[in-house]
Amino acid sequence: MKIWPLLFKAPKYLAFWILADTVYVFFLFFFLNAIIPLSFSKFIFVHFLAIGVGAMVMFTGLGAGILWIPVLTFLEIRPSEAVAISIFTQIAGKGTGSLTYLFNGMVDVKTAAAFIPMALAGVTLGFLSSFYISRGYEQLLLYIFVLIAAYLLIRTIQSLRSPPPFIDASPVITPPIIYARSYPVVIVSSFFTGLLSIGNTDWLIPHMTLKLKMPTSRAVATSLLIMFVAILFYLFLACISVWQGYASWPHGTHLLFATCSGVIVGGQIGIRLILIPWFERYQTHTFIVLLGVSIIHLLC
């Protein structure tokens, strides 16, 4: 029963995930085009793209929705359906990656436990609002999200000029008042997750590093666990809405055969980049660059 914690914890078991993915692609090849309406060339393209996206998401902590939605639209998936497919894909990648972070002791469990209920409340508000908010107001809310993300980006860049804070090895008990002050950030950022499929990590990581004084690697690991639980809850809400007849399952779900398996492998690669000193040194810089690109994409 201890095999799964070992697979998630030990870096040397990355070969297992790559081998499992290779076997999966080999067996799936016989079903492409025949049973699954997806050509092998498109499968390989989406699969390797998913590996790259999964690696960058788990390394930097950025939400993958910003990266997936334009790609899925390019593959002739309607934007409204691309949101759902993006969410399902993120569940696979963030699930395995978050468990790996958790088993390696990189997650601030106390902070995650305090923030997850607030994140679920925000996702619920965003999901319910999607049935009533028009496309015009969604665009306005998107610009508000971008402005705040840009402000956090500038603050993160400014923090690079300051010397890194001294981190005491002894356990530190965070006063509850700090968590209470962070609740609005968690709720509002998760609201955008439920409404627009935008990762709440885009706000949570800068907030944790700037306000809670967490190291970037710990903030990324903690934020991704919160994000995983939030999007898993989003899937639950989506299933309820389909069951009640308020929504329907999206077309193009056959792409999940390529995206989910790809982000699982990519996620396992991304979380191991932090073990390499050079990548660890430039993790914050990579986050800044990708967040800046994401902001530009949202504005275009």
Side-chain angles (χ1 to χ4, degrees), residues 129-188:
S129 298
S130 65
F131 292 100
Y132 303 101
I133 297 178
S134 64
R135 296 295 300 177
Y137 284 110
E138 284 186 4
Q139 193 69 24
L140 176 61
L141 290 172
L142 178 62
Y143 288 145
I144 294 175
F145 176 90
V146 169
L147 288 175
I148 297 177
Y151 166 76
L152 293 173
L153 174 63
I154 295 173
R155 289 293 307 277
T156 305
I157 294 174
Q158 292 175 340
S159 68
L160 293 177
R161 301 178 180 178
S162 304
F166 173 76
I167 302 175
D168 193 356
S170 59
V172 178
I173 301 177
T174 307
I177 185 64
I178 294 182
Y179 289 138
R181 291 174 180 174
S182 301
Y183 289 162
V185 176
V186 181
I187 294 175
V188 176

Side-chain angles (χ1 to χ4, degrees), residues 111-124 183 186-187 190 226 229:
T111 301
F115 285 178
I116 284 176
M118 302 299 107
L120 298 185
V123 168
T124 303
Y183 289 162
V186 181
I187 294 175
S190 301
I226 297 171
V229 176

Side-chain angles (χ1 to χ4, degrees), residues 68-96:
W68 272 123
I69 291 178
V71 172
L72 293 172
T73 303
F74 173 77
L75 295 174
E76 299 180 351
I77 303 296
R78 288 184 296 182
S80 59
E81 297 170 342
V83 170
I85 295 176
S86 171
I87 288 290
F88 298 154
T89 301
Q90 292 179 64
I91 289 175
K94 285 187 172 67
T96 56

